[in-house]
Every structure is written in C-alpha cells, then in structure tokens.
Amino acid sequence: MRAGGEAVSPLNIGAWREFPLRARLLAQLERHDATRGVRLRVDNDAKALALGEGWVGAAKGRRNYLAMVVSTGVGGGIVLDGRLLGGESGNAGHIGHVIVEPHGRLCACGARGCLEAEASGTGIAAATGAQPEMASPEVIERTGRLVGRAVGSVANLLDLPVAIVGGSVALGFGVAFFLAAQREVDQVARLEFSRGCRIEAAGLGETAPLVGAAALGWGGLVSGIPVS
Ligand SMILES: [Zn+2]
C-alpha cells in the first residue's frame, strides 16, 4: 500500500498491482448526491482490525497490543503507546512476513519461510494439498506454534503484553491452535517485560475488519479509539 491508499498491490489479489484504490473509491462517492464530498480514509484491513479491537473488542482499554488475522493471508496492526503504528509508507504491522522457518516455503513476497507462507490458509493448502478445514491435529499444532513464534519475537521487540488473533484459520482451528501458540510464545518471550505475553482470540469475530473500518472513520473523534 502506498501512503494513504493512493495505490495498493495486495499479494493475494494478483490483478491489483498499483491499483488506484483511493481514486476509484472517490470516483464512486462523487457519482451520487448522497455521498458527494464525503471524506475518505483508506487503510489496510489488519490495521483497521487493530483499531476495532481496541475500540470495542478484545483489546478495549489497552494501549499496547498487536492484533492480527490468520486467514487467506496473515496480516497485523500494532498499537503502541495508544497509537496505531503507520511507518514510512503506512505499512507497519506486516507480521505475515516475519521469518518463522529459515529456508522454508517460498512466500509471495519473494522471501522464504515467512509466517504467511507457512501458516496462512493459502500456505497450508499448498503444503498439505487440503483446505485448512481438513487440517490434521499436527498441522493445527504447527500453525499455532509458528504464529506464537512470530508473536513472541514481536513482543520482545516492542514490549507488548498481549496479541489479539483472529481470522478464519485461527478461529476455525480453535482451542488447540491457541494453546500451541501460547506455548510457543512462552518459549520465545522470556525477557522480564515480555514474559507472560498473552495470545487471545479476537473479540469481534469475522466482523472485526468492518468494525475496524468504522473505527478508522471515527478515529480521533470518539474516545477509546487508538489514534491512527
Ligand atoms: Zn513474505
């Protein structure tokens, strides 16, 4: 994503390379009297989810957390000191491209062993030949372990006490996934400040990105939303 969503190139939508999302959305808004002049904010779904979870979800009231989705892809957003991290071009929080398996599977980004290549629904299907719904207990345990590995590293890096995890793969795998992820976090996050970092299920379920889009729109106007 370019800053402000002027152009987006999501890895999972091959036809969108430098797609001018913001301009297209503005053109749609301008076509109708009711929406003409409406202000538009564009951000990625995982960062929006982080705002939504902080507003009315599992991270409500927290000032430091990671929120992430494990679904078709793996994405995330980080709130630090009460603010959603943006970074140079607005792309902070891409936990899907933290390396969890050296020399692992080739990722769509070009690197090897990224969390997204190993633990996303797409990655699991490519590795096992079956959709995540058919995953064996071993695959569920491994997916949780790899997610925990990435989360533990991020907790060490950024001093985070909690990670909120949602997405169809994580929530579909359920308790076994979350237990495996927590066990690995406990192995990886061992510094005095990061020890005890918790993995928790997303509070907003599959509506989280949409609630997050509302939070993005309201950001800074309604108390309780981490400022983006
Ligand atoms: Zn990658």
Side-chain angles (χ1 to χ4, degrees), residues 9-175:
S9 307
L11 293 175
N12 295 317
I13 307 178
W16 282 20
R17 293 281 81 91
E18 293 289 309
F19 183 80
L21 182 60
R22 184 181 180 80
R24 293 289 183 94
L25 288 170
L26 273 175
Q28 287 295 320
L29 291 173
E30 290 302 310
R31 283 177 57 182
H32 305 287
D33 289 342
T35 53
R36 197 166 297 136
V38 168
R39 284 194 298 160
L40 177 66
R41 298 187 70 184
V42 177
D43 214 327
N44 83 40
D45 57 345
K47 281 172 65 190
L49 172 136
L51 287 180
E53 290 289 344
W55 180 24
V56 290
K60 190 169 192 274
R62 291 189 176 275
R63 289 177 53 77
N64 296 287
Y65 60 92
L66 158 74
M68 64 184 290
V69 286
V70 184
S71 56
T72 308
V74 175
I78 294 164
V79 170
L80 203 62
D81 299 328
R83 299 184 70 88
L84 180 68
L85 295 187
E88 180 78 8
S89 56
N91 286 293
H94 269 68
I95 192 170
H97 302 278
V98 167
I99 307 293
V100 291
E101 280 291 20
H103 316 298
R105 297 180 59 78
L106 183 63
C107 181
C109 78
R112 283 197 175 275
C114 292
L115 181 62
E116 179 158 297
E118 302 285 346
S120 67
T122 311
I124 291 168
T128 66
Q131 291 304 306
E133 296 80 25
M134 309 298 289
S136 66
E138 290 74 23
V139 169
I140 292 173
E141 199 276 338
R142 176 176 185 269
T143 305
R145 181 157 30 92
L146 296 180
V147 167
R149 189 170 297 170
V151 167
S153 291
V154 174
N156 285 339
L157 180 69
L158 295 175
D159 191 3
L160 302 177
V162 66
I164 309 300
V165 182
S168 58
V169 171
L171 299 178
F173 282 179
V175 172

Side-chain angles (χ1 to χ4, degrees), residues 194-210:
S194 62
R195 200 179 301 145
C197 174
R198 299 293 308 164
I199 295 241
E200 294 182 7
L204 301 175
E206 297 194 351
T207 63
L210 279 178

